Amino acid sequence: MKVAVIGAGIAGISCASKLQQAGYQVVLFDKARSVGGRMTSKRSTQGYMDFGAQYFTARHPLFQQQVASWQQHGVVSRWLAPLYQYEQARLLASPDAQQRYVGIPAMHSPLKWQARQLDCQLSCRITALKAKENTWQLIAESGEQFGPFDEVVLTLPPAQVNSLLPQTVTQRFPETILQPCWAVTLVLAKGTAHAAGGIFIKDAESPLSWVSRHNSKPGRAQTESWLLHFKPAFSALHLQQDQAFWQQTAEQTLSALLGQPLAVAEMISHRWLYAQIQTQHQDFHYEGVIAAGLWVAGDWTRGGRVENAWLSGIEIAQQIIVKQGASVCPSIG
Ligand code: FAD
Ligand code: NAI
C-alpha cells in the first residue's frame, strides 16, 4: 500500500512515521530543502535561530509520550527560562508552572531526527494531483510525476491545499485562517543583561505579539540575541517592507520594551505568510477526508499549535490504517 504525504512539517512527519511503522510504503514530499515547515530554524553566524514556533507544550498523553522519547534521544529539552509579560506599557515577570519544550540545538531538531528514517523527496513542490483508477498521481513543479499512490495526505496551510485540489473536488478551506507574521532577530554586540527568556505581549498598543531571547534556550550560542514576532495586523500592513524598515522597527520596539539602548551587530528577518491560527478559529476542527484516498491534516485542522499539528498527522494515519483494515487503533479524541 503506497501513501504520499505532502508537507514535511510536524503534521506530515508524524503521519508518515505512524504509517511507515504500520507497514505502509510512504513517500514524504516538501518544497523546502529540509524538513521542519513552520518549526524550521535558520542558520546564522550564531548557530541556528528559531524564526517560527518558539516552544511547544504537551497536554495530550500521546504527544507527551512522543516528547519523552525525543528527550531520551537528546533532540528536545525543557525550556526553563524566566517568562515575562508586557501589559499597559509595563514589563513584569510572569512565572507559571507550565512545562515548555524546545528542540536541541534548534526547533526543527526532533523533526530532522524523526525524518532520517523516512523516504523524503525535498526541494520538490507538488503542483497538481490527478485521480487515476482509484489512485492518485502527483505532479511536481519540475514536471516529474510520482505515483500511483493509494492514499495522499495534504499537510499544508489551507491556501496551499486549495491550490492543489482538482476541480472534481468541490471542497475548499478558509484561506485566512492562518495569519501572516514578520519575525526579526537582533544579534547584540553588547548584552543587555535582561533576565527575560520569553515575553508574552498583552499590550494592545504594541506591534509585537511575542519576544524571546535565543540564548536563554538550551543548546544555543551564548551571544545575546532576541527574536521578535510582530502581530498579524501589523505584519499584514507592512507585508512588503524591506530589511531597513524591519531593522529600525525591531530595534526601536525592543529598546523601548527593555528600557535601554541596544547595540545591534546583526539583523535577520523572515516573513511568514501563513503563521498561526486566528484566535476565533481555535475551535475549528476538520475531520480529514476530502475525497476518496485524499486526506487533509495540519495544525489548522485541529486548533493550531505544534502539539495539535502532530496529533492531526497521527489521527489521519490512524484513519487510513483503520480504513485499510491493517489494524484497529484507538481514536485520539
Ligand atoms: P507546516 O509546518 O506549515 O508544514 C507544511 C509544509 O508543507 C511546509 O514544510 C511547506 O514547505 C510544505 N509545502 C507547502 N506547499 C507545498 C507544496 N505544494 N509541495 C510540497 N510541499 C509543500 N506553535 C506552538 O505550539 N508554539 C509556538 O510558540 C508557536 N509559535 C509560532 C510562531 C510563528 C511565527 C509561526 C509561523 C508558527 C508558530 N507556531 C507555534 C505554530 C506551529 O509552528 C505550527 O502549528 C506547526 O509547526 C504547523 O505544522 P504543520 O505540519 O501543520 O505545517
Ligand atoms: P502556553 O500555554 O505557554 O501559551 C498559551 C498562551 O497563554 C500564550 O500565548 C499567552 O498568551 C498565555 N500565557 C501562558 N503563560 C503565560 C505567562 N506565564 N504569562 C502570561 N501569559 C501567559 O503555550 P501553548 O498553549 O502551547 O501555545 C503555544 C504558542 O501558540 C504560543 O506561541 C502562543 O502565543 C501561541 N498561541 C496562539 C494562539 C492564537 O490564537 N494565535 C492561541 C494560543 C496560543
Side-chain angles (χ1 to χ4, degrees):
M1 192 62 58
K2 283 193 77 176
V3 183
V5 177
I6 310 178
I10 189 164
I13 288 177
S14 74
C15 185
S17 302
K18 176 92 191 164
L19 287 168
Q20 188 166 287
Q21 281 159 17
Y24 289 78
Q25 204 184 328
V26 186
V27 188
L28 184 61
F29 295 87
D30 204 294
K31 65 183 170 64
R33 276 179 308 180
S34 61
V35 305
R38 278 173 276 156
M39 291 177 75
T40 306
S41 311
K42 274 191 182 182
R43 199 189 280 276
S44 79
T45 54
Q46 302 300 323
Y48 281 111
M49 299 280 183
D50 304 323
F51 279 88
Q54 293 295 299
Y55 67 87
F56 52 87
T57 53
R59 298 182 173 105
H60 194 287
L62 278 183
F63 190 56
Q64 286 170 349
Q65 278 172 30
Q66 174 65 85
V67 173
S69 159
W70 285 334
Q71 282 182 282
Q72 276 167 13
H73 290 96
V75 289
V76 159
S77 177
R78 281 186 66 190
W79 182 38
L80 298 165
L83 291 177
Y84 277 62
Q85 175 169 313
Y86 183 72
E87 193 171 21
Q88 294 180 336
R90 291 201 314 157
L91 184 58
L92 295 172
S94 185
D96 64 40
Q98 178 66 54
Q99 298 208 3
R100 297 180 178 83
Y101 301 91
V102 292
I104 301 286
M107 282 303 286
H108 59 219
S109 302
L111 302 191
K112 285 201 165 181
W113 182 81
Q114 199 147 341
R116 77 203 188 288
Q117 288 173 334
L118 296 170
D119 177 358
C120 298
Q121 291 284 334
L122 299 174
S123 303
C124 183
R125 182 192 291 270
I126 303 302
T127 52
L129 305 174
K130 263 198 213 157
K132 198 177 168 193
E133 294 161 5
N134 297 326
T135 62
W136 291 94
Q137 200 83 21
L138 272 48
I139 297 137
E141 193 172 37
S142 61
E144 203 174 346
Q145 299 212 8
F146 298 91
F149 293 100
D150 303 289
E151 312 282 343
V152 174
V153 186
L154 306 175
T155 67
L156 322 169
Q160 290 163 335
V161 169
N162 287 346
S163 73
L164 279 185
L165 294 179
Q167 281 177 352
T168 47
V169 176
T170 50
Q171 174 108 43
R172 290 296 177 272
F173 297 98
E175 301 199 352
T176 54
I177 197 168
L178 293 180
Q179 301 178 290
C181 173
W182 267 99
V184 181
T185 284
L186 299 177
V187 181
L188 303 187
K190 183 170 167 284
T192 62
H194 203 286
I199 306 174
F200 294 102
I201 311 287
K202 304 284 175 80
D203 191 314
E205 302 300 314
S206 173
L208 297 169
S209 59
W210 162 261
V211 171
S212 67
R213 186 164 51 80
H214 274 125
N215 56 310
S216 72
K217 295 182 180 179
R220 271 60 173 182
Q222 283 313 297
T223 306
E224 188 171 315
S225 63
W226 293 83
L227 173 280
L228 291 78
H229 280 159
F230 287 86
K231 279 180 182 153
F234 191 83
S235 298
L237 187 65
H238 300 289
L239 212 54
Q240 308 299 341
Q241 287 286 2
D242 60 11
Q243 300 269 317
F245 172 87
W246 288 109
Q247 165 126 16
Q248 192 188 26
T249 306
E251 201 171 327
Q252 278 174 359
T253 319
L254 184 63
S255 172
L257 191 71
L258 300 179
Q260 54 180 295
L262 304 174
V264 176
E266 189 183 355
M267 190 277 297
I268 314 161
S269 63
H270 184 84
R271 183 181 71 175
W272 297 98
L273 288 178
Y274 309 109
Q276 296 206 63
I277 198 162
Q278 286 183 33
T279 318
Q280 65 266 36
H281 286 298
Q282 275 175 271
D283 296 331
F284 181 81
H285 192 147
Y286 184 72
E287 282 305 328
V289 70
I290 308 177
L294 191 57
W295 308 79
V296 68
D299 62 338
W300 61 274
T301 66
R302 244 192 114 88
R305 296 168 55 246
V306 164
E307 175 176 29
N308 284 327
W310 185 89
L311 287 167
S312 76
I314 296 290
E315 189 169 61
I316 296 308
Q318 287 178 341
Q319 287 190 41
I320 290 173
I321 293 166
V322 169
K323 176 188 155 191
Q324 299 288 351
S327 77
V328 180
C329 300
S331 162
I332 56 177

